[in-house]
Amino acid sequence: MEETKRQVVNFGAGPAKLPRSVMLQAQKEFVDYGGLGFSVMEMSHRSSEFSKIINTAENFLRDLLNIPENYKILFLQGGGTGQFSAVPLNLIGLKEGRCADYIVTGTWSAKAAKEAENYAKVNVIHPKLATYTQIPDPSSWHLNPEASYVYYCANETVHGVEFDFVPDVKGAVLVCDMSSNFLSKPVDVSKFGVIFAGAQKNIGCAGVTVVIVREDLLGFALKECPTVLDYKIQAGNGSLYNTPPCFSIYIMQLVLKWIKNNGGAASMEQFSLIKSQMIYDIIDDSHGFYVCPVEIKSRSRMNIPFYIGSANGDDGLEKKFLDKAAELGMVSLKGHRSVGGIRVSLYNAVTVEEAQNLAAFMRSFMQMH
Protein backbone atom coordinates (compact mmCIF):
# COMPACT_ATOMS: atom_id res chain seq x y z
CA MET A 1 0.00 0.00 0.00
CA GLU A 2 1.33 3.42 -0.87
CA GLU A 3 2.36 5.64 2.03
CA THR A 4 0.96 8.65 0.19
CA LYS A 5 -2.65 7.45 0.34
CA ARG A 6 -4.71 10.57 0.98
CA GLN A 7 -6.23 11.22 4.38
CA VAL A 8 -9.99 10.93 4.68
CA VAL A 9 -11.72 12.90 7.44
CA ASN A 10 -14.66 11.19 9.14
CA PHE A 11 -17.34 13.69 10.20
CA GLY A 12 -19.64 10.84 11.26
CA ALA A 13 -21.79 10.87 14.40
CA GLY A 14 -20.27 7.73 15.88
CA PRO A 15 -18.33 5.52 15.70
CA ALA A 16 -16.28 8.60 15.01
CA LYS A 17 -12.80 9.80 14.18
CA LEU A 18 -10.02 8.77 16.56
CA PRO A 19 -6.83 10.81 17.05
CA ARG A 20 -4.29 9.66 14.48
CA SER A 21 -1.52 9.33 17.08
CA VAL A 22 -3.74 6.93 19.06
CA MET A 23 -4.41 4.79 15.98
CA LEU A 24 -0.70 4.62 15.17
CA GLN A 25 0.19 3.64 18.73
CA ALA A 26 -2.50 0.94 18.77
CA GLN A 27 -1.21 -0.31 15.41
CA LYS A 28 2.35 -0.44 16.73
CA GLU A 29 1.29 -2.36 19.85
CA PHE A 30 -1.33 -4.53 18.19
CA VAL A 31 0.67 -7.74 17.78
CA ASP A 32 3.08 -7.27 20.66
CA TYR A 33 1.84 -5.18 23.56
CA GLY A 34 4.58 -3.80 25.80
CA GLY A 35 7.09 -6.48 24.79
CA LEU A 36 4.86 -9.27 26.15
CA GLY A 37 4.76 -11.04 22.78
CA PHE A 38 0.95 -11.00 22.54
CA SER A 39 -1.87 -8.55 21.88
CA VAL A 40 -4.26 -6.79 24.25
CA MET A 41 -6.87 -8.67 22.18
CA GLU A 42 -5.49 -11.93 23.62
CA MET A 43 -4.82 -10.76 27.16
CA SER A 44 -6.62 -12.23 30.16
CA HIS A 45 -8.84 -9.64 31.81
CA ARG A 46 -7.62 -11.06 35.14
CA SER A 47 -3.93 -10.47 34.31
CA SER A 48 -1.80 -7.84 36.04
CA GLU A 49 -1.15 -6.31 32.59
CA PHE A 50 -4.83 -5.71 31.92
CA SER A 51 -5.38 -4.58 35.48
CA LYS A 52 -2.84 -1.83 34.81
CA ILE A 53 -4.71 -0.76 31.62
CA ILE A 54 -8.13 -0.54 33.28
CA ASN A 55 -6.77 1.22 36.38
CA THR A 56 -4.91 3.75 34.21
CA ALA A 57 -8.14 4.45 32.30
CA GLU A 58 -9.99 5.03 35.57
CA ASN A 59 -7.24 7.30 36.92
CA PHE A 60 -7.25 9.42 33.74
CA LEU A 61 -11.04 9.80 34.01
CA ARG A 62 -10.88 10.78 37.68
CA ASP A 63 -8.19 13.31 36.87
CA LEU A 64 -9.81 14.78 33.73
CA LEU A 65 -13.22 15.29 35.36
CA ASN A 66 -12.13 15.73 39.00
CA ILE A 67 -14.41 12.85 39.92
CA PRO A 68 -15.00 12.82 43.69
CA GLU A 69 -13.96 9.83 45.81
CA ASN A 70 -17.57 8.84 46.55
CA TYR A 71 -18.25 7.97 42.90
CA LYS A 72 -17.58 4.59 41.31
CA ILE A 73 -16.49 4.32 37.67
CA LEU A 74 -17.74 1.31 35.74
CA PHE A 75 -16.69 0.09 32.28
CA LEU A 76 -19.68 -1.81 30.92
CA GLN A 77 -21.03 -3.29 27.70
CA GLY A 78 -24.38 -2.73 25.98
CA GLY A 79 -23.82 0.87 24.88
CA GLY A 80 -25.89 3.84 25.94
CA THR A 81 -28.95 1.82 24.98
CA GLY A 82 -28.12 -0.78 27.65
CA GLN A 83 -28.16 2.05 30.18
CA PHE A 84 -31.67 3.06 29.08
CA SER A 85 -32.67 -0.15 30.94
CA ALA A 86 -29.93 -0.17 33.58
CA VAL A 87 -30.83 3.28 34.93
CA PRO A 88 -34.44 2.45 35.89
CA LEU A 89 -33.52 -1.09 36.96
CA ASN A 90 -30.92 0.29 39.40
CA LEU A 91 -32.58 3.49 40.55
CA ILE A 92 -36.36 3.19 40.36
CA GLY A 93 -36.35 1.37 43.71
CA LEU A 94 -34.97 4.47 45.46
CA LYS A 95 -38.56 5.57 46.22
CA GLU A 96 -41.69 3.54 46.78
CA GLY A 97 -43.74 5.11 43.98
CA ARG A 98 -41.41 3.70 41.30
CA CYS A 99 -41.76 6.77 39.09
CA ALA A 100 -39.16 8.82 37.18
CA ASP A 101 -39.01 12.26 35.59
CA TYR A 102 -37.69 12.55 32.00
CA ILE A 103 -36.76 15.58 29.92
CA VAL A 104 -37.31 14.57 26.28
CA THR A 105 -35.43 16.72 23.77
CA GLY A 106 -34.70 14.32 20.91
CA THR A 107 -34.48 10.76 19.63
CA TRP A 108 -32.25 9.38 22.37
CA SER A 109 -34.03 10.78 25.42
CA ALA A 110 -37.33 9.68 23.83
CA LYS A 111 -35.98 6.12 23.45
CA ALA A 112 -34.70 6.17 27.04
CA ALA A 113 -38.10 7.29 28.36
CA LYS A 114 -39.90 4.60 26.34
CA GLU A 115 -37.54 1.90 27.67
CA ALA A 116 -38.01 3.11 31.26
CA GLU A 117 -41.77 2.60 30.90
CA ASN A 118 -41.07 -1.15 31.08
CA TYR A 119 -40.03 -0.73 34.72
CA ALA A 120 -41.40 2.58 35.95
CA LYS A 121 -44.11 5.18 35.73
CA VAL A 122 -42.51 7.83 33.48
CA ASN A 123 -43.40 11.49 33.74
CA VAL A 124 -42.20 13.81 30.95
CA ILE A 125 -41.79 17.02 32.94
CA HIS A 126 -42.50 19.56 30.19
CA PRO A 127 -45.12 20.05 27.45
CA LYS A 128 -44.41 17.73 24.48
CA LEU A 129 -42.22 19.42 21.86
CA ALA A 130 -43.70 19.66 18.36
CA THR A 131 -40.17 19.47 16.94
CA TYR A 132 -36.85 18.67 18.57
CA THR A 133 -35.27 22.04 17.89
CA GLN A 134 -34.87 23.50 21.37
CA ILE A 135 -34.37 22.79 25.07
CA PRO A 136 -37.73 23.42 26.78
CA ASP A 137 -37.69 26.44 29.10
CA PRO A 138 -37.12 25.28 32.71
CA SER A 139 -40.03 27.51 33.80
CA SER A 140 -42.34 25.06 31.97
CA TRP A 141 -41.03 22.00 33.87
CA HIS A 142 -43.11 20.18 36.47
CA LEU A 143 -40.86 18.01 38.63
CA ASN A 144 -42.53 15.25 40.60
CA PRO A 145 -41.13 15.37 44.17
CA GLU A 146 -41.81 11.61 44.44
CA ALA A 147 -39.67 10.73 41.40
CA SER A 148 -36.75 8.39 42.06
CA TYR A 149 -34.60 10.38 39.60
CA VAL A 150 -34.64 13.01 36.85
CA TYR A 151 -33.17 11.98 33.48
CA TYR A 152 -31.92 13.96 30.51
CA CYS A 153 -29.61 13.62 27.50
CA ALA A 154 -26.95 16.37 27.42
CA ASN A 155 -26.56 16.34 23.63
CA GLU A 156 -28.92 14.88 21.05
CA THR A 157 -26.89 13.65 18.07
CA VAL A 158 -29.78 13.28 15.61
CA HIS A 159 -31.36 16.70 16.08
CA GLY A 160 -28.27 18.70 17.10
CA VAL A 161 -29.66 20.01 20.40
CA GLU A 162 -27.37 20.48 23.41
CA PHE A 163 -27.97 21.65 26.99
CA ASP A 164 -25.69 24.58 27.82
CA PHE A 165 -26.62 24.24 31.51
CA VAL A 166 -27.08 21.51 34.13
CA PRO A 167 -30.79 21.25 35.02
CA ASP A 168 -31.70 22.43 38.50
CA VAL A 169 -33.67 19.48 39.88
CA LYS A 170 -34.10 20.75 43.44
CA GLY A 171 -31.87 18.13 45.05
CA ALA A 172 -33.33 15.13 43.18
CA VAL A 173 -31.03 12.39 41.82
CA LEU A 174 -29.92 13.65 38.40
CA VAL A 175 -29.07 11.14 35.67
CA CYS A 176 -27.42 12.18 32.42
CA ASP A 177 -26.68 10.46 29.13
CA MET A 178 -23.50 12.26 28.05
CA SER A 179 -22.63 9.80 25.27
CA SER A 180 -22.07 12.47 22.64
CA ASN A 181 -20.49 15.35 24.56
CA PHE A 182 -18.60 13.49 27.28
CA LEU A 183 -15.19 15.08 27.93
CA SER A 184 -15.85 17.81 25.36
CA LYS A 185 -16.03 20.27 28.27
CA PRO A 186 -15.49 20.26 32.04
CA VAL A 187 -18.40 18.93 34.13
CA ASP A 188 -19.15 19.20 37.85
CA VAL A 189 -19.71 15.50 38.50
CA SER A 190 -20.94 16.18 42.05
CA LYS A 191 -24.21 17.55 40.61
CA PHE A 192 -25.12 14.11 39.25
CA GLY A 193 -26.21 10.78 40.65
CA VAL A 194 -25.32 8.89 37.47
CA ILE A 195 -23.51 9.90 34.27
CA PHE A 196 -23.10 7.43 31.43
CA ALA A 197 -21.46 7.65 28.03
CA GLY A 198 -20.76 5.31 25.13
CA ALA A 199 -17.09 5.74 24.19
CA GLN A 200 -17.42 5.79 20.40
CA LYS A 201 -17.78 9.55 19.91
CA ASN A 202 -15.32 11.54 22.02
CA ILE A 203 -13.25 9.04 24.01
CA GLY A 204 -12.65 5.88 22.01
CA CYS A 205 -14.19 3.15 19.92
CA ALA A 206 -17.46 1.23 20.22
CA GLY A 207 -17.74 -1.52 22.81
CA VAL A 208 -17.29 0.17 26.17
CA THR A 209 -19.72 2.41 28.07
CA VAL A 210 -18.50 4.48 31.00
CA VAL A 211 -20.86 4.72 33.97
CA ILE A 212 -20.07 7.11 36.84
CA VAL A 213 -22.34 6.43 39.81
CA ARG A 214 -22.54 7.94 43.30
CA GLU A 215 -21.90 5.29 45.95
CA ASP A 216 -25.06 5.95 47.98
CA LEU A 217 -27.14 4.91 44.93
CA LEU A 218 -25.71 1.38 44.85
CA GLY A 219 -27.73 -1.53 46.18
CA PHE A 220 -31.25 -0.51 45.10
CA ALA A 221 -31.49 -2.64 41.95
CA LEU A 222 -34.80 -4.39 41.33
CA LYS A 223 -34.64 -8.15 41.82
CA GLU A 224 -35.31 -8.61 38.08
CA CYS A 225 -32.25 -6.51 37.17
CA PRO A 226 -29.81 -8.65 35.14
CA THR A 227 -26.56 -9.16 37.07
CA VAL A 228 -24.43 -7.62 34.32
CA LEU A 229 -26.43 -4.38 34.62
CA ASP A 230 -26.38 -4.25 38.43
CA TYR A 231 -24.20 -1.27 39.37
CA LYS A 232 -23.45 -2.61 42.86
CA ILE A 233 -22.24 -5.98 41.58
CA GLN A 234 -20.18 -4.39 38.78
CA ALA A 235 -18.66 -1.86 41.21
CA GLY A 236 -17.87 -4.60 43.73
CA ASN A 237 -16.04 -6.52 41.01
CA GLY A 238 -14.13 -3.57 39.54
CA SER A 239 -16.02 -3.99 36.22
CA LEU A 240 -14.59 -7.52 36.00
CA TYR A 241 -17.68 -9.50 37.01
CA ASN A 242 -17.53 -10.92 33.48
CA THR A 243 -15.04 -10.34 30.67
CA PRO A 244 -15.09 -6.62 29.90
CA PRO A 245 -14.51 -5.17 26.40
CA CYS A 246 -10.74 -5.25 26.94
CA PHE A 247 -9.56 -3.81 23.63
CA SER A 248 -12.11 -0.96 23.73
CA ILE A 249 -10.95 -0.08 27.26
CA TYR A 250 -7.33 -0.06 26.03
CA ILE A 251 -8.20 2.29 23.13
CA MET A 252 -10.16 4.52 25.49
CA GLN A 253 -7.19 4.71 27.84
CA LEU A 254 -5.01 5.91 24.93
CA VAL A 255 -7.61 8.55 23.95
CA LEU A 256 -7.93 9.76 27.56
CA LYS A 257 -4.16 10.17 27.70
CA TRP A 258 -4.31 12.12 24.42
CA ILE A 259 -7.01 14.41 25.86
CA LYS A 260 -4.88 15.00 28.96
CA ASN A 261 -1.80 15.76 26.86
CA ASN A 262 -3.82 18.22 24.79
CA GLY A 263 -5.00 20.36 27.68
CA GLY A 264 -7.85 18.29 29.13
CA ALA A 265 -11.59 18.97 29.04
CA ALA A 266 -11.21 22.78 29.15
CA SER A 267 -9.04 22.69 26.06
CA MET A 268 -11.50 20.33 24.28
CA GLU A 269 -14.26 22.86 25.03
CA GLN A 270 -12.27 25.75 23.52
CA PHE A 271 -11.61 23.74 20.35
CA SER A 272 -15.25 22.63 20.12
CA LEU A 273 -16.46 26.23 20.28
CA ILE A 274 -14.02 27.35 17.58
CA LYS A 275 -14.89 24.43 15.27
CA SER A 276 -18.67 24.65 15.65
CA GLN A 277 -18.77 28.45 15.39
CA MET A 278 -16.96 28.26 12.05
CA ILE A 279 -19.66 26.02 10.59
CA TYR A 280 -22.58 27.93 12.17
CA ASP A 281 -21.18 31.22 10.85
CA ILE A 282 -21.31 29.91 7.28
CA ILE A 283 -24.86 28.62 7.78
CA ASP A 284 -26.02 31.93 9.29
CA ASP A 285 -24.34 34.05 6.61
CA SER A 286 -25.68 31.95 3.71
CA HIS A 287 -28.97 33.90 3.27
CA GLY A 288 -30.99 30.70 3.55
CA PHE A 289 -28.83 28.51 1.29
CA TYR A 290 -27.92 26.46 4.37
CA VAL A 291 -30.66 26.13 7.02
CA CYS A 292 -30.11 24.84 10.56
CA PRO A 293 -33.50 24.18 12.23
CA VAL A 294 -32.22 24.39 15.83
CA GLU A 295 -32.83 27.57 17.85
CA ILE A 296 -29.54 29.40 18.43
CA LYS A 297 -29.20 28.95 22.19
CA SER A 298 -29.89 25.21 21.98
CA ARG A 299 -27.40 24.51 19.18
CA SER A 300 -24.97 21.65 19.67
CA ARG A 301 -21.19 22.03 19.49
CA MET A 302 -20.94 18.36 18.59
CA ASN A 303 -23.52 17.71 15.87
CA ILE A 304 -24.65 20.34 13.38
CA PRO A 305 -27.63 19.34 11.25
CA PHE A 306 -28.62 21.48 8.27
CA TYR A 307 -30.52 21.43 5.01
CA ILE A 308 -29.36 22.84 1.67
CA GLY A 309 -31.43 25.02 -0.65
CA SER A 310 -34.45 25.48 1.64
CA ALA A 311 -35.79 24.69 5.11
CA ASN A 312 -36.86 21.25 3.86
CA GLY A 313 -33.74 20.62 1.80
CA ASP A 314 -33.23 20.08 -1.90
CA ASP A 315 -32.42 16.40 -2.47
CA GLY A 316 -30.47 17.09 -5.66
CA LEU A 317 -28.26 19.75 -4.07
CA GLU A 318 -27.68 17.65 -0.96
CA LYS A 319 -26.60 14.67 -3.06
CA LYS A 320 -24.18 16.90 -5.00
CA PHE A 321 -22.82 18.27 -1.72
CA LEU A 322 -22.20 14.78 -0.30
CA ASP A 323 -20.61 13.50 -3.54
CA LYS A 324 -18.29 16.49 -3.87
CA ALA A 325 -17.34 16.35 -0.16
CA ALA A 326 -16.49 12.65 -0.52
CA GLU A 327 -14.27 13.45 -3.54
CA LEU A 328 -12.41 15.86 -1.27
CA GLY A 329 -12.00 13.21 1.43
CA MET A 330 -14.76 14.42 3.75
CA VAL A 331 -17.06 11.53 4.60
CA SER A 332 -20.07 10.53 6.75
CA LEU A 333 -21.84 13.90 6.34
CA LYS A 334 -25.28 12.48 5.53
CA GLY A 335 -27.97 13.40 8.08
CA HIS A 336 -29.57 10.72 10.25
CA ARG A 337 -32.04 8.60 8.28
CA SER A 338 -34.95 9.91 10.40
CA VAL A 339 -34.37 13.59 9.55
CA GLY A 340 -32.36 13.64 6.29
CA GLY A 341 -30.26 16.62 5.25
CA ILE A 342 -26.61 16.98 6.22
CA ARG A 343 -25.00 16.47 9.62
CA VAL A 344 -21.50 17.55 10.64
CA SER A 345 -20.12 15.92 13.78
CA LEU A 346 -17.19 17.69 15.41
CA TYR A 347 -16.02 15.42 18.19
CA ASN A 348 -12.73 15.83 20.05
CA ALA A 349 -10.54 14.12 17.45
CA VAL A 350 -11.70 16.37 14.57
CA THR A 351 -9.07 19.12 14.31
CA VAL A 352 -9.64 22.85 13.85
CA GLU A 353 -7.87 22.59 10.49
CA GLU A 354 -10.25 19.83 9.35
CA ALA A 355 -13.24 21.96 10.36
CA GLN A 356 -11.69 24.90 8.44
CA ASN A 357 -11.37 22.73 5.32
CA LEU A 358 -15.03 21.74 5.59
CA ALA A 359 -16.04 25.39 6.10
CA ALA A 360 -14.05 26.40 3.00
CA PHE A 361 -15.79 23.67 0.98
CA MET A 362 -19.22 24.80 2.23
CA ARG A 363 -18.40 28.36 1.17
CA SER A 364 -17.26 27.37 -2.32
CA PHE A 365 -20.23 25.00 -2.79
CA MET A 366 -22.61 27.83 -1.92
CA GLN A 367 -20.91 30.17 -4.41
CA MET A 368 -21.17 27.55 -7.18
CA HIS A 369 -24.88 26.96 -6.60
PDB file of all heavy atoms in Angstrom, residues 10 284 305:
ATOM      1  N   ASN A  10     -13.354  11.739   8.797  1.00  0.00           N
ATOM      2  CA  ASN A  10     -14.655  11.190   9.143  1.00  0.00           C
ATOM      3  C   ASN A  10     -15.416  12.189  10.013  1.00  0.00           C
ATOM      4  O   ASN A  10     -15.064  12.422  11.164  1.00  0.00           O
ATOM      5  CB  ASN A  10     -14.422   9.871   9.898  1.00  0.00           C
ATOM      6  CG  ASN A  10     -15.714   9.258  10.429  1.00  0.00           C
ATOM      7  OD1 ASN A  10     -16.801   9.691  10.077  1.00  0.00           O
ATOM      8  ND2 ASN A  10     -15.581   8.265  11.285  1.00  0.00           N
ATOM      9  N   ASP A 284     -25.271  30.697   8.982  1.00  0.00           N
ATOM     10  CA  ASP A 284     -26.016  31.930   9.294  1.00  0.00           C
ATOM     11  C   ASP A 284     -25.792  33.041   8.272  1.00  0.00           C
ATOM     12  O   ASP A 284     -26.641  33.920   8.101  1.00  0.00           O
ATOM     13  CB  ASP A 284     -25.649  32.427  10.694  1.00  0.00           C
ATOM     14  CG  ASP A 284     -26.126  31.460  11.782  1.00  0.00           C
ATOM     15  OD1 ASP A 284     -27.008  30.633  11.489  1.00  0.00           O
ATOM     16  OD2 ASP A 284     -25.589  31.520  12.904  1.00  0.00           O
ATOM     17  N   PRO A 305     -26.795  19.773  12.367  1.00  0.00           N
ATOM     18  CA  PRO A 305     -27.633  19.337  11.249  1.00  0.00           C
ATOM     19  C   PRO A 305     -28.048  20.556  10.415  1.00  0.00           C
ATOM     20  O   PRO A 305     -28.304  21.634  10.959  1.00  0.00           O
ATOM     21  CB  PRO A 305     -28.856  18.732  11.953  1.00  0.00           C
ATOM     22  CG  PRO A 305     -28.950  19.470  13.255  1.00  0.00           C
ATOM     23  CD  PRO A 305     -27.586  20.019  13.591  1.00  0.00           C
TER      24      PRO A 305
END
